């Protein structure tokens, strides 16, 4: 895997070992950021971060900060190692359940311009019902939620749908408040 664009374009990044994490492909990441547009100075929240590829891409493209949320300790270590290797600043790695982290971010009254959510495909059904309501309080008024699911899944959240596109085995769907 590599960073697709920005300051660290072409840099290789590691992914956690095993089958617990499914990193977003370079092609899907490039397509997602084409849909998202510029992220200069944005505050980013990367939920179910896995390898951190989507958030690392945001930082490389000029995002001001990124909070990576991942429950797997091994994956958190990989994200921290990738951040150190790429010498990216403005990042924080939170190793806990995404919904617990969302409650804490809401309590701290933090908001984000860009929220990335890429839960494991096999748990989407249990995540979908809670995600929109949990993300809305931390999504800035003009913020964007980007959800990656299996290509056959069309996410339905209590937010405004912007677009939904398929890229190979993945679907990228954008929502606003």
């Amino acid at each position: 895997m590599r960073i697709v664009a920005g300051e660290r374009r072409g840099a290789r990044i590691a992914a956690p070992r095993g089958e617990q994490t499914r990193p977003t492909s370079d092609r899907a990441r490039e397509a997602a950021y084409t849909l998202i547009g510029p992220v200069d100075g944005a505050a980013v929240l990367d939920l179910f971060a896995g390898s951190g590829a989507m958030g690392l891409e945001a930082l490389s493209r000029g995002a001001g900060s990124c909070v990576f949320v991942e429950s797997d300790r091994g994956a958190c270590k990989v994200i921290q190692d990738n951040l150190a290797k790429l010498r990216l600043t403005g990042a924080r790695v939170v190793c806990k359940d995404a919904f617990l982290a969302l409650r804490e971010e809401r309590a701290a009254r933090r908001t984000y311009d860009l929220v990335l959510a890429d839960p494991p495909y096999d748990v989407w059904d249990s995540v979908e019902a809670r995600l929109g309501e949990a993300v809305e309080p931390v999504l800035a008024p003009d913020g964007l939620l980007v959800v990656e699911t299996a290509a056959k899944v069309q996410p339905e959240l209590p937010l405004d749908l912007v677009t939904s596109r398929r890229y190979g085995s993945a679907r990228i769907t954008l929502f606003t408040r």
Side-chain angles (χ1 to χ4, degrees):
M1 289 191 352
R2 62 184 179 84
I3 298 294
V4 176
E7 193 176 290
R8 302 293 191 268
R9 181 179 184 202
R12 294 200 176 276
I13 55 176
R17 295 183 187 269
E19 296 182 19
Q20 294 291 346
T21 305
R22 173 204 30 77
T24 303
S25 73
D26 293 356
R27 178 176 172 243
R29 228 173 324 116
E30 185 171 15
Y33 278 95
T34 297
L35 296 173
I36 294 166
V39 295
D40 298 326
V44 179
L45 178 63
D46 188 352
L47 301 169
F48 310 96
S51 67
M54 288 292 286
L56 294 167
E57 189 74 41
L59 289 169
S60 177
R61 290 170 181 250
S65 64
C66 184
V67 177
F68 296 86
V69 178
E70 173 56 52
S71 62
D72 181 83
R73 293 205 180 280
C76 289
K77 172 81 167 85
V78 168
I79 295 168
Q80 290 168 334
D81 291 348
N82 281 330
L83 286 164
K85 175 187 174 186
L86 298 173
R87 295 187 184 111
L88 291 168
T89 58
R92 181 167 53 104
V93 180
V94 177
C95 200
K96 61 177 58 169
D97 174 77
F99 292 101
L100 177 59
L102 281 166
R103 278 195 299 276
E104 291 173 0
E105 295 299 299
R106 179 181 183 178
R109 298 181 184 257
R110 291 188 189 100
T111 60
Y112 297 90
D113 304 303
L114 177 61
V115 178
L116 308 164
D118 183 10
Y121 289 175
D122 62 342
V123 300
W124 175 250
D125 289 342
S126 65
V127 169
E128 182 176 28
R130 300 167 42 202
L131 186 63
E133 290 177 10
V135 165
E136 187 176 18
V138 301
L139 192 61
D142 293 330
L144 192 62
L145 168 63
V146 179
V147 177
E148 180 180 339
T149 59
K152 295 177 183 177
V153 174
Q154 177 61 58
E156 294 182 16
L157 300 176
L159 297 166
D160 293 334
L161 176 66
V162 175
T163 190
S164 187
R165 310 269 177 91
R166 290 177 62 164
Y167 300 99
S169 63
R171 176 179 296 276
I172 305 291
T173 306
L174 279 63
F175 295 93
T176 59
R177 292 181 79 166

